[in-house]
Structures are given as C-alpha cells and as structure tokens.
Amino acid sequence: MLTPESLKKIDREIAKYPVDQKRSAIMAALAIAQDEQGWLSSEAIESVANYLGMAPVAAYEVASFYNMYNLKPLGKYKLSVCTNLPCMLSGGVDAGEYLKKKLGIGYNETTPDGLITLKEGECMGACGDAPVMIVNNRRMCSWMQPEQIDQLLAELK
Amino acid sequence: MAILGAINPMLSLGLDGDKAWRLADYVKRGGYSALRRILEEKQPQGSVINEVKKSVLRGRGGAGFPTGLKWSFMPRSFPGDKYVVCNSDEGEPGTFKDRDILRYNPHSVIEGMAIAAYAMGAACGYNYIHGEVWEIYERFEEALDEARAAGFLGSDLLGSGFNFELFAHHGYGAYICGEETALLESIEGKKGQPRFKPPFPASFGLYGKPTTINNTETFASIPYIINLGGETYLEAGKANNGGTKLFSISGHVERPGNYEIPLGTPFATLLEMAGGMRGGRQLKACIPGGSSAPVVPAEAMMACTMDYDSISKAGSMLGSGAVIVMDETTCMVRALERLSFFYYEESCGQCTPCREGTGWLYQVVHRIENGQGRADDLELLACVTTNIMGRTICALGDAASMPVQSFIKHFHDEFAYHIEHKKCLVPVDVQRAGSGFFTARV
C-alpha cells in the first residue's frame, strides 16, 4: 500500500527513536501516508500500523485525535482559515465569510468541482500575521485580505 | 513577520530575518561559544545549573516556573537514559514567538538544549514542533543537520566525551499537546492526553525515564545566560523576573508582531512600539498572557509593567507573553464565545468536568451572543466554571474557565445588556470595521 518513497521517509522517522519505541514514529508516518492520497483510509492507517508493529486500533486512535489528519476524502486543496480570537480581531472571521461567498460553500464543504474544501481552523501560532490560512497542512499564507485571497484562489487550480 | 522591535535585545540581537538563521551566522554572532566553554572547561554540572538559578530565568511557556530549580529536580545520579524535551507546540491563541525564534535563530535553541542536556546528564532530546508551522519544522531539521555536521550534536561533542543527540518531532493539530505530559504521550505515539501528576516528568517522563521539558524561548535564553553570567542576565530584567522576553502582540494595534523587551517594561511602552491602537481608537481590554489568562480592563492594563509579578497583581498572568489587544469596537460576549468554542473543541475528553463543562460554557455563551440568553445564565456560567476548576487532571479546564469568569466580572453590564435586550451594545458594522479586513494596510 505505501510507496517505497514513503517507506524510506518513514524509516528516517523511526531512526529518531529508541529501537524499542518504533511506535513514536506514528504521527510522522501517518502524515507521510496522508501525503500520498490526500487523506487516510482505514487501509492506509492499517498498513502504517503494521509497518510500525502496533495495533491498527492504536494507530486509528492517533489519526482520529489530531485534527490535521483527514479521515475522509477532501477537495484537492484543503484551505483552513483561523478564526480564533486574535485572528478574528484582525479579520479572520471576515476572511472566512469572504471565502464562503466566493466559493459558494460553507465550512466543511467542498466546491462542486472537487477543488477546494474549506475548514475553520484553530490557532495556528501565527496571530501576528492575521488573517492566516493553511493550504493542505503545509503552506501558511499570511495577511490574507481580499486581494491576497483572490490571488490565492486564482493560483489553486 | 519578523521581530519588529526591541529594547536592549538579547534573543533577537543581530538577527536578519530569513537571511541570517544558519549555523555560520549564529557562530558569527557568538553562537555555540557558551557550549564550547562549558565543555572545554569541563564545568561541573551543578555550577551550570547554579548559573541558571542565579539568572532567575522563569519558564517562558506560560507557567513561569524557575528554570534552574526545575533542572535541579532531575536525578543526577540516575544510571539509565534521561531526556530533555523542548516544547515548541505553540498553539495558545495569541502566541507566536517560538515560531520566530525557530525561524530566525534555531541554533540558539539547539545550543540551549545541548547545555541543558550536559547539566542534567541527558544524552538525547526531542523538540516537539507545532504541526501547523510546517516550514519551521523543516527549517529546524536543516539546522539539526548543520549542527551535527559541525560536531555540536552527536557523540563526543567537540572532543569532550559528552554525547547528545537531538531530533525534531512534529505535532499534527492538538492544542492539548502543549501540556507537558500530553506532549510526552504524543512523542510516545499515543493520543495526547495528560498524565496524572505526580509522578512528575523529572522522575517519570518520556518512556518512563527522567525528563525535563522547557519552552523554546527558555532554551534559547540559556546560551545568553551562560555568556553574560546569571547575575547580569537577571539585571537585564527586574528582581524576581530575570532577563528580556519576547512579547507577541496581536489584535487591534497598528503593527502586530513580536517585540523583545526587558521584563518590567511598562505596557504603555510596548503598546507604543506596536504602533499604538489601530486607527487611533480607544483600548477597551487586554489579555496579557495568551487566551487562558484572565482579561484585564484598559485602565488597569495601562498601569501594568510587563513582568510576572505586575500582571499577577492586576489579577491575570503573564503566561506566554501573548498580548491580545482589544479596542472599543470589540463585543466582549462575541470575543468570549470564540474563546469558549476553542476550549470546547480542544478538550481532550479525558476528564468529565472539562469534556462536558467546556461544552456547557460554549453553548451558554453562544446563546447569549445570539439573543437567546436567559436571566440566570450568568449564574449558570459561574456555577459551571467552579465545577470544572481544580477537578481535572490538567490545567485546560481552568484555562477554559478563567476567561469566562474574568470577562463576566469586568464586563458584567455588557453581558447583562445582551441577555436583556437580545443584542449587542456595539453595533455589528462597528465591530466589523474594527477588524480592518476591507481596509488596505500600510
């Protein structure tokens, strides 16, 4: 199930921990597995668990506890907007509303063409850059006012 | 972003944004000289810890516990593995200083951790980095590679016989992992649910071994303490509040960002450094130490200096140094509603009072905000908070309760108005204008 490249990356993570603590690599391994398909199917979680020699249910517990793991298929781009208080004071909520209107969808919905899933996020640790949003868990976008949001949407194809 | 201003800086001295974070730049700024000296002089572990004690460096993650004292809890004669762990799981709303430290000065954290490991006899460490700041995690991995190649990490550091390996571990979206025992569970590959204490991590930590966990900024301060001497570092701040500190300012100011100032600097000075209030409006309230700290009304805040003791006297906490500034366009009910949702969302679900109580807090504040408040709702909220506080394994329940109590205490009339009139004192269009979303910025 996991590609050789993914397994190589996971091996590098396993090497960070004591030999009898392979399980410590589960968070990184699930993130690597998620990068393959954009989400984690039960089969993907199970194959990661088997690779690390842990019970699949223990891996599922981790996948369902941390909110950056996607347990369902999403659009090609997951766009998480922070609306927590510090961001709200500088337009985080407005940015979310602006996106909803532009995309014609609400939070936790995907555009009909399958391109963008909109998520309301919690604190991303970048409140000074508000409004902030993260694309596919990796790319943080700062100071997202209407013009910058329009640019980002034009770029996400 | 960047570190936008400083008074007598240490942590941010000589930084140049993305251009000067590499090992060579750090060495040019005097980096790794503290570690080198300790190793070359074979300084006794106890004397390193004493220097940190003398500095009165207090934990920069939020609790403000004296770092040197924490280090002295580690059993020095313990024969097996010991660990040092850095808490870079920066998710407390309003806090974004560790991100800039790791981005612009990652080697200061590596050097600080290596010194800590030497002082406590640990051979291995982990830095747990907030999953949302992925670029920072990748940069830290690069910095680790540089440090290994230069002999500042690995076996037999600089020929001293001392071994220290350090690795980066990333989170993936759970606020609770900022709690130190939840963080350890998370490194062990489990759900991040806090552990009962005692036993404390110094006796039963990562993989059951003695472990010390400090915040990123705490570790980053260590090389400066060793170089300057504990006493000089202490004098840079004020009595019982050693050194300088990074403050993250967010909300209704002209220039949100990080500022490094000596502890004891007046709040008014900090506010001025951040360009003052956005659009010249009036300060209404301030949360001085991250979202879990009680809110302080404008007048009391303007009388504060930025240090652990002054903020505590004003009835709040310096916490992580996250200063959330709110002006007259802020609806306090709406502000509290958003915070309460956050704690409800992030409760790990382990303890009933927190799991259920945070849901109650959110639902009741939500209905007040939406014109469906009931006459006895404020009493109900008070009752829920007292039934959460002190009845849970970790401090998240208290952190969810303190904003509720302080918002209602200081802005009681505003809550009462919402309940009675089913609407806000601050018109919605005024609230929206406050965010500046549709206004071009300089």
Side-chain angles (χ1 to χ4, degrees):
Chain A
M1 171 89 196
L2 293 159
T3 64
E5 293 81 52
S6 293
L7 292 178
K8 217 169 120 194
K9 284 188 196 165
I10 294 173
D11 286 342
R12 206 157 55 212
E13 295 298 325
I14 293 172
K16 293 178 177 177
Y17 307 98
V19 277
D20 56 345
Q21 300 290 350
K22 265 168 102 172
R23 176 183 179 162
S24 283
I26 183 69
M27 290 184 69
L30 286 173
I32 291 163
Q34 178 164 292
D35 286 345
E36 284 189 8
Q37 309 276 340
W39 69 292
L40 288 170
S41 61
S42 302
E43 294 74 32
I45 295 173
E46 201 175 329
S47 59
V48 170
N50 289 338
Y51 193 70
L52 295 179
M54 62 195 278
V57 67
Y60 182 79
E61 267 189 6
V62 170
S64 58
F65 186 84
Y66 299 89
N67 69 27
M68 288 167 71
Y69 297 114
N70 309 321
L71 299 184
K72 285 184 199 146
L74 302 178
K76 186 174 172 195
Y77 299 104
K78 177 173 80 169
L79 197 51
S80 317
V81 186
C82 179
T83 60
N84 206 311
L85 178 61
C87 274
M88 179 174 108
L89 298 172
S90 291
V93 172
D94 301 325
E97 294 306 314
Y98 185 81
L99 276 164
K100 283 186 197 169
K101 217 189 237 174
K102 279 229 116 175
L103 298 172
I105 54 173
Y107 286 128
N108 300 315
E109 291 178 2
T110 302
T111 51
D113 59 359
L115 195 62
I116 293 174
T117 301
L118 192 60
K119 288 262 175 192
E120 186 173 24
E122 287 301 346
C123 188
M124 296 160 182
C127 325
D129 295 7
V132 290
M133 44 197 72
I134 296 180
V135 183
N136 283 347
N137 290 346
R138 291 291 182 269
R139 174 178 163 202
M140 185 173 292
C141 307
S142 300
W143 300 293
M144 299 302 283
Q145 289 187 270
E147 193 190 327
Q148 289 77 14
I149 293 176
D150 292 347
Q151 274 168 17
L152 177 66
L153 292 182
E155 202 187 301
L156 300 181
K157 287 280 181 289
Chain B
M1 189 170 11
I3 294 162
L4 296 180
I7 299 174
N8 302 332
M10 285 187 241
L11 296 169
S12 60
L13 187 67
L15 301 189
D16 189 12
D18 281 321
K19 281 177 275 180
W21 65 272
R22 292 199 170 271
L23 185 126
D25 306 305
Y26 183 61
V27 168
K28 229 183 276 170
R29 294 194 290 270
Y32 287 111
S33 58
L35 176 67
R36 187 183 292 276
R37 204 173 70 237
I38 288 171
L39 294 177
E40 279 173 2
E41 294 173 4
K42 297 193 172 18
Q43 289 187 14
Q45 294 172 315
S47 80
V48 176
I49 294 179
N50 264 338
E51 212 53 48
V52 177
K53 276 187 181 167
K54 273 195 272 177
S55 75
V56 200
L57 170 67
R58 294 171 62 169
R60 301 298 196 224
F65 193 81
T67 303
L69 190 59
K70 196 180 209 179
W71 288 12
S72 68
F73 294 155
M74 282 284 270
R76 252 175 285 168
S77 54
F78 185 84
D81 296 333
K82 286 185 267 187
Y83 294 96
V84 289
V85 173
C86 180
N87 184 346
S88 301
D89 192 33
E90 187 176 49
E92 171 84 3
T95 317
F96 48 90
K97 64 189 175 63
D98 298 336
R99 175 179 178 229
D100 273 358
I101 292 173
L102 292 172
R103 180 155 54 161
Y104 302 133
N105 210 10
H107 285 284
S108 66
V109 179
I110 297 173
E111 186 182 7
M113 289 189 76
I115 293 169
Y118 174 86
M120 291 180 276
C124 184
Y126 293 96
N127 185 8
Y128 190 104
I129 299 173
H130 199 46
E132 282 83 345
V133 290
W134 194 260
E135 291 104 336
I136 306 300
Y137 170 72
E138 288 181 329
R139 175 166 294 186
F140 195 74
E141 288 272 30
E142 263 191 80
L144 288 175
D145 286 341
E146 286 186 321
R148 282 185 199 116
F152 294 120
L153 288 176
S155 50
D156 192 21
L157 258 62
L158 306 172
S160 66
F162 169 62
N163 307 322
F164 180 58
E165 246 321 336
L166 177 58
F167 302 98
H169 181 108
H170 68 75
Y172 229 52
Y175 168 69
I176 191 60
C177 290
E179 199 278 344
E180 60 179 13
T181 58
L183 186 148
L184 297 178
E185 289 284 300
S186 186
I187 297 181
E188 291 182 6
K190 302 171 191 160
K191 290 185 286 185
Q193 293 191 317
R195 299 174 181 170
F196 279 110
K197 289 187 268 190
F200 290 94
S203 49
F204 190 93
L206 184 61
Y207 308 126
K209 309 291 183 191
T211 302
T212 289
I213 303 124
N214 286 133
N215 168 258
T216 319
E217 187 183 357
T218 308
F219 280 124
S221 305
I222 297 298
Y224 301 92
I225 290 170
I226 300 299
N227 282 330
L228 293 167
E231 275 156 30
T232 310
Y233 182 87
L234 169 60
E235 284 160 18
K238 76 176 219 186
N240 198 34
N241 294 269
T244 60
K245 167 143 189 37
L246 281 167
F247 286 90
S248 306
I249 308 189
S250 62
H252 292 145
V253 294
E254 287 287 354
R255 293 201 313 150
N258 284 313
Y259 298 85
E260 184 181 358
I261 53 173
L263 286 170
T265 304
F267 170 70
T269 308
L270 183 61
L271 186 58
E272 201 180 309
M273 288 170 80
M277 298 300 297
R278 187 182 295 156
R281 288 190 294 266
Q282 288 292 311
L283 178 67
K284 180 172 186 175
C286 176
I287 304 177
S291 66
S292 309
V295 68
V296 179
E299 203 179 325
M301 196 63 217
M302 291 307 288
C304 282
T305 56
M306 299 309 289
D307 56 83
Y308 297 93
D309 298 337
S310 170
I311 301 289
S312 154
K313 229 194 261 168
S316 188
M317 304 184 302
L318 190 75
S320 54
V323 182
I324 306 170
V325 177
M326 291 174 275
D327 71 19
E328 60 202 292
T329 68
T330 313
C331 166
M332 299 312 272
V333 181
R334 187 150 184 252
L336 180 62
E337 181 202 20
R338 187 59 187 85
L339 287 183
S340 296
F341 180 75
F342 169 70
Y343 291 105
Y344 163 60
E345 181 75 14
E346 296 294 339
S347 172
C348 81
Q350 187 173 207
C351 311
T352 310
C354 174
R355 183 185 64 240
E356 303 301 321
T358 51
W360 274 88
L361 293 177
Y362 169 64
Q363 281 173 40
V364 175
V365 179
H366 179 73
R367 76 182 178 214
I368 297 174
E369 166 64 12
N370 287 281
Q372 291 165 332
R374 302 171 195 171
D376 55 358
D377 270 354
L378 297 185
E379 263 169 71
L380 176 60
L381 285 172
C383 171
V384 175
T385 59
T386 51
N387 278 299
I388 298 174
M389 292 178 84
R391 294 165 201 266
T392 53
I393 290 173
C394 84
L396 190 139
D398 289 28
S401 303
M402 284 189 289
V404 175
Q405 292 182 343
S406 62
F407 269 71
I408 294 175
K409 178 179 163 198
H410 294 298
F411 299 93
H412 186 274
D413 292 353
E414 205 170 320
F415 282 82
Y417 186 93
H418 265 263
I419 293 172
E420 197 185 329
H421 298 277
K422 319 274 179 217
K423 61 174 186 182
C424 185
L425 274 167
V426 186
V428 175
D429 53 333
V430 172
Q431 287 182 38
R432 291 200 67 185
S435 84
F437 179 67
F438 290 101
T439 321
R441 293 202 193 141
V442 192

